[in-house]
Amino acid sequence: MSTATSTTMADGPDGSEGPEGTSEPDLPRPTGGVPDSGDGAWRTLVRGISLSPELRVGLAWTVVLALVATAGRAIVPVAIQQTIDGGLGTNGAGVDLVAVSRIVAFAAVAVLITALASGWMNYRLAAVVETALSNLRVRAFRHIHDLSMLHQATQQRGSLVSRVTSDIDEISRFMGWAGLNLITAVGQLTIATLVMALYSWQLTLIVLVVFVPFVLVARWFQKRLTVAYRLVREKVGDMLGILAETVVGAPVVRAYGIEHRTQTRLDGRIEDHRRSAVRAGTLSSLFSGSGELFGAIATAAAVVAGVWLGVGGEVTAGTVLAFLFLITLFVDPVLIASEVINEGQTAIAGWRRVLDVLDLEPDVADPGEDGLELPPGPIGFRFADVAFRYPRAGETARNASGPFVLTGVNETIEPQTRVAVVGETGSGKTTFAKLLTRLMDPTEGQVLIDELPLDRLRFASLRRRVVMVPQDGALFDGTIADNVRMGRPAATDQQLELAFLELGLSDWVEELPRQLATRTGERGGSLSAGERQLVALARAYVANPDLLVLDEATSAVDPATELRLQRALAGLASGRTTVTIAHRLSTAETADEVLVFDRGRVVQRGNHHQLLEEGGVYGALHASWVRGVGDQG
Amino acid sequence: MRRGLRVIGIALRGAPGPFAIGIGSAALFAGMTVASAFVLGWVTDEVLLPMMATGEIDRDVLLLAVALILGVAVLKAVGVVGRRLGAYFAQFQLQARYRRDVTRRYLALPISWHRRHPTGELLSNANADVESAFFVAAPLPMAMGASLLLVITGGLLIVTDPGLAAIGFSIGPLLGFANWFYQRRMRHAATVAQQARADVSEVAHESFDSALVVKTMGREEAETQRFRATTEDLRDKMIRVGRLRAFFDPVIEALPNIGILLVLLVGAFRVRDGFLTPGDLVQFALLFRLVALPIRVFGWLLGELPRAVVGWDRVSRVLNATGDMVHGRASGDGAGGAAIGMRDVGFHHPSSERGDLAGPDARTTPTGAPQPMDGAPERGPDAPEDRTRGIDSVSFDVDAGRTIALVGATGSGKSTIASLLVRLYDPDHGHVVFDGAAVPDLARDQLARHVAIVFQEAFLFDDSVRDNITLGDDFSDAEVEAAATLARAHGFVSELPHGYDTQIGERGATLSGGQRQRLALARALIRRPRLLVLDDATSAVDPSVESEILRGLAEADLPATVVVVAYRRGSIALADEVVFLQDGAVAARGSHDELLATVPAYASLVTAYEQQRAEDAAAAAHAQPPAEVPE
């Protein structure tokens, strides 16, 4: 009898027999980014639960409580049956009030016990689920940070965020409501079946037979619902995408007066989403209607068979009546379980997305404990036959086949050199910086720091000694002091002030509304682009690295400030190596060495004066820069 | 509770058609549910008991019983499908409608309002908040149908046996009290949990957005700790919500059962005394079970209400937000560039201390107290030290067709002036003038047609290159190409896989910063505005390309007044005049040469490179003379 039950339960949610059933989760899809493992719902559930061992803590106990709790649902029908058969004297013996009182008293106690069990189970479940999901959130968060920039870049940022937020929220909602319902539904189904079988195996058999076609119908719906809900999710994504664009791009929308066009686009996506959701809802409604019909067919069959068996003396009237109650107890959980699985599609898809991101191997991995430490003191570095090409989808850095961004770079930089890197956009300057700071690994060749291979260095050691200031001085919402302190968490306020003083920025800080306690706003939005760069520089400065890489880190400040900073940084360059990427050639003029990049190669090297004499690419760059800053108009 | 009813009222009015279908179907379902109880009662009394007593099967009666059961079931199924369809249609119609309304507000509210609300908050408002506000639509038809059921069954019970009915209904007030208590507690718990959820989202957003900094500073562990703290806060609040539910659910489940048992007990007495037949009692018990159902449905509805109220409050805050810019009807038409000016204009950006959805106080507000759901209702007057810098009193005029450069140190207010000129903000005091008219008098479309700004941070839409330039307006291919050529974008666009039809992805992620800036410039140029404002719009462009662009602009003889925010002397050289800003005020004005000669602060700002080069030259006396010696 439990065959029908387990079929519904095990295969219903799975649907994995379809072509999208199983595939290797680790094989990236051609779409790039986080591969969609396409795991079936059931497999996802199993994998998800196995990845969160907290979910299994005391699971047996929870299930016991669930069974007790659901058993409570059979109490009332049984009590009615007992009363009718034993107390009301339908068999002609007259009303037995003592018996009725006893039955009611027993039932009342049972109701209380099951209520307690149900409450306790909910209580446990809430704690277990939320704890497990909170840990999963943190794990996914850390994992995403461990992924390389390349991996991160292939994803829309919003999509990465959703993996630690809404995706997991969905699981929480699913586990909190639906998961609970699923457990109780399974319990209720089991118990209803058992009780029915105790009353009459013949009637039970008939009910089960009636439900066989229902299982087929359910599967038919299940398949279509899976597709329908997937479409809904896609439409939600589309809608959020354009919504984000509208919000982030508000100034442009306003300045160009394209509100109407933007609204039309938004309305379109909103309507698309509505349509897809209504379609899924329609399918789901029809499905529950069919459940209602099957319930009635089972009832009718039970009445006919009950009368027939009753006349033959096989069952009593009370048994048949109890059966009619029990059939509702049997039908409800089947419907609820199906619904839970339908509504759970979103949650399971979310879970799958979280698991998929956890499956991604970090391609620029920290060697960790086995790694090497950088010896103390100034550091030099060497690029040995380095080439880089961007990996296409599914490739790693080492077998990348995209166009070459950098080729044949062979350069050695002695410790304590001030290096300027110049070249046009797309010449490979930034790639050079990213390889040097191991934000990416080269496709060919090796980068060595102090003759140690970069990819063997522990991150803890590397990140302390080698610091890069990116072009967009990304700030966190907090005070300026908070942001600078990221460079050195232990720094005191005095040390921070000193840092700004040494960088020649005290007067700038003084003019801020609350000096170092001034808030930077979301993503530093309360400061101008130039001011954000000043903060980012100070942050790198307090980190006190031995190799400082500046990637156009002063492009947005005014010339006077830039020069002031450069002088400050130059004074601080003693004892450390600096690599500065800049398109303002003022930096190159003061550097010890200038590396000139052109189309992915280093085409010239030397100091400013040597290069000026050589002319070539540098000469042209310099000439155009001088025109820019020097023309008297 | 009253606010919950208001949300329900808004929902009902918002989708009357689907709700009518849903509620009608729910009524049908309710009626058929009652009917099915009657059918079963009738089956008990007329089919089961007599046939078993006599041992004879009356085939016709049995068939009638089957037909009744199935007939009622078909109608019931129709009711279920209709009810759920109605609920879905209503729910999604409401969601779509309020999403449209909320986004319309986003598009209408001023930029200063946008600045006060983090991106993540606005996203979740149009998405999650709208959704939670109208989740309530799902159980609504069922609850309405159920209340009908309650009335019908209540009536029937009273008719069958008033005394017994009174006993059964005595659990009603108990249920009501339990619900009320639950609501009180849940509303607060749900609110703080929702806020914690928003916090988690914000930390994740910020952290992933700054992934580069996190990596280069080796902050992964510190960030993980920060994220863990907010996550665990959310966890604790969710557990609290779960525990409340754990307490409430069993109570609401057990009370009706207790009621049935009471009815059974008392009913047995009534049967003994001959007031009731056993069949009546069965029917009574069944009916009573039916009463329990609507009560449970109300439980679900009430369970959704706190969330719906929280969601609706957040939504209506956007819908009711004020401060829309009012536009006049004046035309900005005219030949050539417009004469523009500022008269004693002062503006300070609102403080960056944003009031978020629920400030720290709200999180600790005791149960039941009205929650300041947003906390960011319009902020009171800012304390002076709260205000970031802006401009204090700026006045200047630019004659039609002239080009001026706004020059000043980092943070001196240049971008603020640029934004005010194109009316992204309205000044706190003073006037911005366009061709003799106050800018607020210009009609909305006139302003957009005649004024264009290019920001330093070029924002591109997830769309084709062409659409990013035209923004959906009617421009010929030749015009697009001409604008792109002038912005020096035509070259790289032609090399893209599909040229102007290439899709550029989220925020133009596939392009470099300089390329994005050039497309943004083309977008402005193609409109042939009468006022063109370039806010450091070529900062990421290679210097050689930049000078080409600037020369191109000068030679193209645009029919525009141009305001350039710039540092580089190449850009300044393009200008007829320079307005030099210091600390949010105009410090000097004149030609570049005049200022250079008479304003030392200006000279030291713009000639910094040359001075340094001169120093270097002096220092490196042995080396060859520098390329040229300015000044």
Side-chain angles (χ1 to χ4, degrees):
Chain A
M1 61 176 180
S2 64
T3 1
T5 312
S6 61
T7 317
T8 322
M9 293 293 83
D11 289 353
D14 190 356
S16 69
E17 253 117 316
E20 79 279 14
T22 52
S23 73
E24 286 307 309
D26 291 332
L27 270 183
R29 288 294 167 90
T31 45
V34 179
D36 179 358
S37 68
D39 274 356
W42 192 243
R43 213 174 106 87
T44 303
L45 263 179
V46 169
R47 273 198 338 130
I49 291 171
S50 71
L51 261 175
S52 291
E54 304 94 330
L55 283 176
R56 289 187 308 239
V57 171
L59 184 65
W61 189 221
T62 306
V63 168
V64 167
L65 288 173
L67 288 179
V68 173
T70 45
R73 303 216 172 138
I75 293 171
V76 167
V78 171
I80 292 176
Q81 174 268 327
Q82 288 284 326
T83 311
I84 288 171
D85 275 2
L88 292 187
T90 43
N91 45 12
V95 176
D96 182 348
L97 285 178
V98 178
V100 171
S101 308
R102 199 183 311 127
I103 292 165
V104 167
F106 265 118
V109 171
V111 164
L112 285 182
I113 291 175
T114 53
L116 279 176
S118 146
W120 194 358
M121 174 190 66
N122 283 342
Y123 191 89
R124 287 180 58 90
L125 214 57
V128 165
V129 166
E130 291 303 328
T131 307
L133 293 183
S134 152
N135 293 343
L136 183 64
R137 245 187 248 274
V138 173
R139 217 163 113 192
F141 178 89
R142 177 58 198 254
H143 194 84
I144 288 172
H145 269 311
D146 285 341
L147 294 176
S148 75
M149 295 191 56
L150 286 177
H151 264 141
Q152 291 174 349
T154 51
Q155 287 291 298
Q156 298 197 338
R157 276 186 208 132
S159 134
L160 285 179
V161 172
S162 78
R163 296 191 197 230
V164 296
T165 56
S166 56
D167 283 346
I168 293 184
D169 291 343
E170 290 288 352
I171 309 176
S172 153
R173 202 171 298 155
F174 173 71
M175 299 291 268
W177 270 112
L180 189 64
N181 276 331
L182 201 58
I183 291 182
T184 44
V186 174
Q188 184 169 338
L189 200 63
T190 318
I191 287 181
T193 313
L194 274 175
V195 175
M196 287 196 319
L198 282 178
Y199 273 117
S200 159
W201 62 266
Q202 299 99 322
L203 287 179
T204 309
L205 206 61
I206 285 166
V207 170
L208 291 181
V209 166
V210 167
F211 266 84
V212 170
F214 178 70
V215 171
L216 297 179
V217 170
R219 297 192 64 145
W220 187 89
F221 271 106
Q222 208 65 247
K223 266 191 198 137
R224 271 148 196 82
L225 277 164
T226 307
V227 177
Y229 278 107
R230 187 176 299 158
L231 191 68
V232 174
R233 285 193 306 276
E234 278 167 23
K235 297 295 175 195
V236 171
D238 289 352
M239 186 177 73
L240 285 178
I242 191 131
L243 188 59
E245 200 172 86
T246 307
V247 171
V248 179
V252 174
V253 171
R254 204 55 48 89
Y256 285 84
I258 50 167
E259 287 91 347
H260 186 71
R261 170 177 190 253
T262 312
Q263 188 69 56
T264 311
R265 277 156 65 106
L266 269 166
D267 286 356
R269 307 280 177 101
I270 290 172
E271 180 58 20
D272 282 353
H273 168 252
R274 190 193 66 85
R275 261 198 223 122
S276 66
V278 160
R279 197 190 123 67
T282 306
L283 271 173
S284 151
S285 307
L286 289 173
F287 178 53
S288 51
S290 71
E292 198 65 54
L293 283 181
F294 276 101
I297 294 172
T299 309
V303 168
V304 174
V307 168
W308 194 58
L309 288 170
V311 169
E314 302 267 348
V315 295
T316 64
T319 302
V320 177
L321 279 179
F323 229 87
L324 298 186
F325 276 101
L326 285 167
I327 286 172
T328 22
L329 283 187
F330 180 84
V331 176
D332 279 355
V334 174
L335 288 179
I336 287 173
S338 317
E339 192 139 324
V340 160
I341 289 153
N342 291 340
E343 307 275 319
Q345 297 279 359
T346 329
I348 288 175
W351 215 341
R352 187 183 304 149
R353 282 194 295 272
V354 176
L355 295 176
D356 285 347
V357 90
L358 286 174
D359 280 343
L360 274 183
E361 280 295 326
D363 51 351
V364 177
D366 183 359
E369 292 297 302
D370 306 332
L372 306 170
E373 285 271 350
L374 268 177
I379 18 190
F381 63 88
R382 180 158 73 89
F383 273 56
D385 286 323
V386 167
F388 183 81
R389 31 205 328 195
Y390 276 96
R392 295 179 200 273
E395 296 173 342
T396 62
R398 278 286 166 189
N399 65 17
S401 67
F404 278 99
V405 184
L406 219 57
T407 37
V409 179
N410 269 304
E411 301 294 336
T412 306
I413 300 292
E414 297 301 326
Q416 306 188 17
T417 313
R418 284 175 299 159
V419 183
V421 176
V422 299
E424 300 229 329
T425 306
S427 59
K429 293 172 299 189
T430 298
T431 306
F432 178 78
K434 286 178 179 167
L435 292 175
L436 177 58
T437 49
R438 206 172 171 227
L439 290 172
M440 308 190 298
D441 283 335
T443 313
E444 293 165 21
Q446 233 182 358
V447 181
L448 302 115
I449 288 194
D450 275 356
E451 288 306 306
L452 300 172
L454 195 53
D455 56 6
R456 297 286 321 282
L457 290 174
R458 268 191 221 173
F459 273 18
S461 169
L462 178 69
R463 299 287 182 227
R464 201 171 53 240
R465 308 280 304 282
V466 178
V467 166
M468 170 164 155
V469 183
Q471 181 172 14
D472 175 25
L475 301 190
F476 290 79
D477 189 8
T479 64
I480 290 182
D482 293 339
N483 272 287
V484 174
R485 202 169 267 132
M486 281 182 184
R488 192 181 349 147
T492 64
D493 284 353
Q494 284 75 21
Q495 285 170 317
L496 296 184
E497 279 165 24
L498 188 65
F500 279 99
L501 184 70
E502 287 171 344
L503 284 170
L505 294 173
S506 318
D507 48 348
W508 172 72
V509 171
E510 278 312 307
E511 283 174 16
L512 290 170
R514 289 184 181 174
Q515 289 74 48
L516 289 181
T518 305
R519 302 211 38 120
T520 53
E522 187 189 13
R523 262 146 262 195
S526 304
L527 303 179
S528 73
E531 290 173 317
R532 287 199 290 275
Q533 291 187 332
L534 298 184
V535 177
L537 273 175
R539 178 164 62 192
Y541 174 54
V542 300
N544 193 23
D546 291 299
L547 171 57
L548 181 60
V549 182
L550 306 168
D551 183 5
E552 308 211 349
T554 54
S555 61
V557 299
D558 64 77
T561 310
E562 187 188 14
L563 284 184
R564 212 158 58 178
L565 273 172
Q566 272 174 16
R567 288 193 190 120
L569 288 170
L572 301 160
S574 60
R576 80 185 86 215
T577 317
T578 57
V579 175
T580 310
I581 295 167
H583 63 217
R584 292 190 188 170
L585 290 163
S586 50
T587 316
E589 292 175 349
T590 55
D592 301 327
E593 293 261 20
V594 181
L595 296 181
V596 185
F597 278 74
D598 191 43
R599 289 155 210 253
R601 292 174 180 280
V602 178
V603 291
Q604 282 176 293
R605 177 175 172 171
N607 70 31
H608 169 66
H609 298 296
Q610 293 163 346
L611 291 178
L612 212 53
E613 225 160 59
E614 265 178 39
V617 175
Y618 187 79
L621 282 172
H622 190 261
S624 90
W625 181 72
V626 165
R627 254 202 317 278
V629 298
D631 261 359
Q632 294 300 304
Chain B
M1 190 64 200
R2 199 175 317 132
R3 297 206 284 167
L5 288 178
R6 245 189 60 218
V7 178
I8 290 177
I10 288 161
L12 286 176
R13 279 199 300 278
F19 274 123
I21 293 173
I23 293 170
S25 306
L28 174 68
F29 177 76
M32 287 309 111
T33 310
V34 176
S36 71
F38 272 104
V39 168
L40 283 186
W42 178 80
V43 167
T44 308
D45 280 349
E46 305 294 326
V47 185
L48 282 179
L49 295 178
M51 286 187 192
M52 288 197 184
T54 59
E56 275 173 33
I57 298 176
D58 183 335
R59 184 182 296 246
D60 292 344
V61 176
L62 193 56
L63 274 181
L64 179 61
V66 168
L68 278 176
I69 292 175
L70 291 183
V72 166
V74 168
L75 289 178
K76 226 169 135 182
V78 170
V80 168
V81 173
R83 183 192 77 206
R84 297 194 46 172
L85 276 181
Y88 279 125
F89 272 88
Q91 185 180 353
F92 297 126
Q93 179 173 325
L94 285 164
Q95 281 185 11
R97 178 188 155 177
Y98 280 95
R99 284 196 174 122
R100 284 195 293 268
D101 287 358
V102 164
T103 50
R104 277 190 165 68
R105 292 303 297 148
Y106 286 176
L107 288 170
L109 283 164
I111 297 295
S112 51
W113 183 88
H114 276 267
R115 273 181 67 115
R116 283 201 305 273
H117 296 83
T119 311
E121 187 188 319
L122 296 188
L123 287 184
S124 90
N125 194 282
N127 182 36
D129 290 341
V130 168
E131 202 170 279
S132 9
F134 296 111
F135 258 140
V136 77
L140 201 52
M142 192 171 185
M144 293 296 204
S147 50
L148 188 69
L149 191 65
L150 192 67
V151 172
I152 297 174
T153 48
L156 285 172
L157 287 174
I158 292 168
V159 170
T160 315
D161 186 337
L164 202 51
I167 288 169
F169 281 126
S170 63
I171 57 155
L174 282 176
L175 273 176
F177 176 76
N179 249 328
W180 171 81
F181 188 71
Y182 173 68
Q183 293 301 315
R184 258 175 70 96
R185 305 296 290 271
M186 198 54 168
R187 171 118 152 269
H188 180 246
T191 308
V192 294
Q194 197 72 4
Q195 183 60 44
R197 203 185 296 287
D199 291 346
V200 167
S201 168
E202 248 182 86
V203 171
H205 239 290
E206 184 176 72
S207 191
F208 291 161
D209 239 20
S210 317
L212 192 56
V213 176
V214 173
K215 276 190 196 308
T216 52
M217 291 269 159
R219 300 275 302 168
E220 288 91 344
E221 188 51 38
E223 281 298 292
T224 307
Q225 288 313 327
R226 191 163 77 101
F227 184 72
R228 186 190 299 277
T230 47
T231 298
E232 291 185 346
D233 180 54
L234 172 62
R235 176 197 66 193
D236 294 343
K237 285 169 177 160
M238 284 305 290
I239 290 179
R240 207 170 309 148
V241 166
R243 287 183 174 171
L244 270 176
R245 197 171 281 152
F247 173 77
F248 180 74
D249 274 1
V251 171
I252 206 103
E253 181 131 343
L255 280 176
N257 281 339
I258 299 286
I260 293 183
L261 292 176
L262 266 178
V263 165
L264 266 187
L265 184 62
V266 180
F269 283 92
R270 307 285 285 174
V271 171
R272 184 197 58 183
D273 299 343
F275 288 110
L276 277 179
T277 67
D280 282 341
L281 185 55
V282 169
Q283 189 181 319
F284 206 101
L286 265 175
L287 280 175
F288 203 84
R289 269 176 70 79
L290 294 183
V291 177
L293 179 74
I295 289 171
R296 286 198 64 181
V297 172
F298 269 113
W300 296 335
L301 181 66
L302 294 174
E304 287 294 349
L305 268 191
R307 248 175 83 196
V309 170
V310 172
W312 174 250
D313 282 350
R314 293 165 73 117
V315 169
S316 47
R317 243 186 345 267
V318 174
L319 298 182
N320 300 331
T322 52
D324 289 29
M325 280 191 173
V326 179
H327 295 277
R329 290 156 170 245
S331 159
D333 288 343
I340 58 149
M342 285 191 146
R343 309 275 150 74
D344 184 29
V345 168
F347 179 75
H348 286 267
H349 289 287
S351 149
S352 61
E353 313 262 352
R354 34 164 262 257
D356 56 356
L357 288 181
D361 312 336
R363 291 168 207 210
T364 53
T365 309
T367 314
Q371 297 296 313
M373 293 308 173
D374 184 358
E378 302 315 303
R379 206 185 299 274
D382 293 321
E385 75 271 20
D386 256 357
R387 313 189 54 154
T388 55
R389 293 139 309 146
I391 53 175
D392 295 319
S393 173
V394 169
S395 301
F396 63 86
D397 282 292
V398 184
D399 293 340
R402 304 267 289 177
T403 298
I404 63 154
L406 291 177
V407 180
T410 302
S412 58
K414 303 181 297 289
S415 292
T416 306
I417 292 178
S419 300
L420 288 167
L421 284 176
V422 302
R423 209 182 172 209
L424 278 186
Y425 305 102
D426 280 329
D428 297 339
H429 60 78
H431 302 283
V432 181
V433 183
F434 181 95
D435 251 2
V439 168
D441 291 342
L442 287 181
R444 178 74 196 90
D445 56 331
Q446 289 289 312
L447 187 67
R449 185 180 312 156
H450 295 304
V451 170
I453 184 169
V454 186
F455 300 101
Q456 185 191 41
E457 284 170 37
F459 182 87
L460 299 184
F461 296 92
D462 183 3
D463 212 331
S464 68
V465 170
R466 181 192 313 280
D467 282 348
N468 265 291
I469 294 175
T470 65
L471 293 178
D473 288 341
D474 242 353
F475 289 109
S476 70
D477 287 0
E479 285 173 301
V480 170
E481 221 170 277
T485 307
L486 196 50
R488 293 298 181 271
H490 181 68
F492 78 84
V493 171
S494 319
E495 285 172 19
L496 292 173
H498 304 288
Y500 284 92
D501 295 314
T502 307
Q503 293 289 324
I504 54 178
E506 188 190 31
R507 315 258 194 286
T510 49
L511 302 175
S512 77
Q515 289 173 331
R516 287 202 293 270
Q517 284 190 335
R518 284 183 265 170
L519 286 185
L521 182 60
R523 175 193 287 166
L525 292 175
I526 199 171
R527 305 190 137 60
R528 305 183 68 77
R530 300 185 60 215
L531 168 62
L532 175 63
V533 180
L534 304 176
D535 185 2
D536 207 2
T538 49
S539 62
V541 177
D542 285 328
S544 56
V545 179
E546 186 191 29
S547 51
E548 274 175 43
I549 293 175
L550 295 175
R551 252 177 292 137
L553 285 184
E555 286 157 16
D557 200 16
L558 300 169
T561 305
V562 182
V563 175
V564 194
V565 171
Y567 297 128
R568 300 184 202 171
R569 290 184 57 187
S571 313
I572 299 172
L574 189 77
D576 302 318
E577 250 185 311
V578 173
V579 171
F580 178 53
L581 297 163
Q582 266 185 313
D583 301 329
V586 177
R589 174 167 179 178
S591 76
H592 172 65
D593 290 335
E594 281 166 26
L595 295 187
L596 214 50
T598 55
V599 184
Y602 178 76
S604 77
L605 181 74
V606 297
T607 62
Y609 294 128
E610 288 83 349
Q611 285 172 357
Q612 189 189 24
R613 206 173 308 132
E615 283 168 24
D616 290 351
H622 66 280
Q624 51 281 76
E628 86 259 21
V629 186
E631 305 310 314

